[in-house]
Amino acid sequence: MKKLLLAGLWLALSATASSATLDRIKDRGEIRIGYRPATEPFSFENDQGQPAGYSIELCQRIAAAVKDELKLKELKINYVPVSVKDRFSSVAKGNVDILCAATTITLSRMEMVDFTLMTFTTGGGVLSLATKPVTTVSDLTGKTVAVVSETTGAAALKSYLSDSFIDATVKNVKSSEEARQMLDRGEVDAWADDQIVLIGQLMREGNPRDYTISQDLFSYEPYGLAVARGDPEFRLIADRALARIYRSGQFKALFEKWFARSGIRPSPILQAMYTLQALPDLSLIH
């Protein structure tokens, strides 16, 4: 009798379980992908004004998995630009279904949103003009550095400078574009951001020989895709799609496409991430 009651309870819970995100996508016939327009090579607008990048392409694979899960003949993808300030609230409010950009996973952010499996690992670096190089973070002593406010990079930089007794002036700015312009005009000595984002900016707009990137890092930044908190069904579809990409080795082609042209090779930590996140899917075993 006890086993029958437990089985009945499990069936009842299974029948009532639902995903607000999947229900919303099915009702609209579209999935809304949030992206930041200027975080190349993760998410940006290409020369045609269309969203592109490493994170965007991962989300396109996830959208295909959602389409299969919902058994839809067609699923429209609607790209929604978000800012540093409203990116997480857009996910929490359901304005976007998944955030596809350069987004660091943190425990404090998990109070508002959830995250998929990790998609990349990087760290905070410093960009400066080649004529006035800041070759290490310690070289910021006595200098002025721009950083985008309300980011993990801003918090990590402040902590690193304090812990290392580095006396530098930090100027908080609203965007990467503003930081880059201030650096080019000589209004700051350096721009601090995730190293891969700094490299991405050089790949798109500048001559790399005009700039210097610090040799060391001031933080560890594990990236993931933000999704609604408390919606494990949708997150599971996204995680399965990502794990399949890692298990099959498809990530190699994606990395080559978006990073190799800058001369970047996968770091040992990134290679380990791809291996460890290639979770097995036992449902495939019959």
Side-chain angles (χ1 to χ4, degrees):
M1 177 63 73
K2 189 174 182 180
K3 290 183 178 179
L4 287 174
L5 288 173
L6 289 173
L9 178 61
W10 183 86
L11 288 172
L13 290 173
S14 299
T16 58
S18 64
S19 163
T21 307
L22 291 175
D23 291 343
R24 189 168 60 236
I25 292 171
K26 189 173 184 179
D27 290 343
R28 291 190 310 233
E30 73 172 18
I31 181 170
R32 294 179 181 174
I33 292 178
Y35 74 101
R36 289 174 61 191
T39 54
E40 189 172 359
F42 294 93
S43 72
F44 63 99
E45 292 178 353
N46 60 25
D47 294 338
Q48 290 73 45
Q50 298 299 313
Y54 174 80
S55 297
I56 294 293
E57 198 154 341
L58 289 177
C59 281
Q60 290 170 348
R61 308 288 181 91
I62 291 171
V66 170
K67 177 185 173 183
D68 289 344
E69 178 70 20
L70 295 176
K71 297 179 173 57
L72 299 175
K73 290 184 178 180
E74 292 185 4
L75 179 62
K76 179 183 176 183
I77 296 179
N78 183 9
Y79 295 101
V80 181
V82 297
S83 67
V84 170
K85 196 170 232 182
D86 69 5
R87 52 183 167 161
F88 297 118
S89 61
S90 294
V91 176
K93 293 176 181 177
N95 296 333
V96 299
D97 301 311
I98 187 167
L99 176 61
C100 305
T103 308
T104 303
I105 302 170
T106 71
L107 294 174
S108 59
R109 286 175 174 175
M110 287 182 182
E111 295 176 1
M112 181 179 288
V113 297
D114 205 348
F115 289 92
T116 63
L117 295 177
M118 291 169 60
T119 57
F120 204 83
T121 59
T122 184
V126 175
L127 184 75
S128 58
L129 297 176
T131 53
K132 298 179 180 179
V134 178
T135 55
T136 68
V137 181
S138 296
D139 291 338
L140 285 174
T141 299
K143 294 182 170 60
T144 302
V145 55
V147 65
V148 180
S149 60
E150 299 188 48
T151 62
T152 55
L157 178 66
K158 180 180 179 181
S159 177
Y160 185 93
L161 294 177
S162 176
D163 293 344
S164 303
F165 300 101
I166 298 173
D167 185 15
T169 300
V170 177
K171 288 205 171 187
N172 291 295
V173 299
K174 295 180 180 179
S175 66
S176 298
E177 295 95 325
E178 184 180 355
R180 171 70 177 277
Q181 290 168 4
M182 291 179 70
L183 177 63
D184 288 342
R185 290 195 298 260
E187 296 173 6
V188 295
D189 299 298
W191 163 24
D193 209 321
D194 292 353
Q195 187 186 63
I196 195 68
V197 172
L198 296 175
I199 294 171
Q201 287 289 315
L202 296 186
M203 288 165 53
R204 185 180 190 189
E205 299 177 18
N207 184 345
R209 294 182 180 179
D210 292 340
Y211 301 89
T212 296
I213 293 181
S214 61
Q215 301 167 1
D216 56 348
L217 302 175
F218 60 80
S219 68
Y220 164 61
E221 309 284 342
Y223 286 179
L225 308 174
V227 295
R229 196 165 183 255
D231 196 337
E233 290 82 7
F234 179 72
R235 191 188 70 230
L236 180 58
I237 294 173
D239 285 346
R240 275 184 163 150
L242 291 173
R244 191 175 300 121
I245 291 171
Y246 303 154
R247 283 198 314 271
S248 65
Q250 296 175 51
F251 70 87
K252 296 177 183 177
L254 289 174
F255 187 95
E256 288 290 324
K257 179 177 180 180
W258 296 110
F259 302 102
R261 61 194 174 98
S262 66
I264 302 173
R265 306 309 307 169
S267 67
I269 293 178
L270 182 59
Q271 291 178 9
M273 185 217 79
Y274 283 130
T275 300
L276 294 172
Q277 300 285 278
L279 303 179
D281 193 342
L282 297 181
S283 67
L284 299 178
I285 300 175
H286 299 284

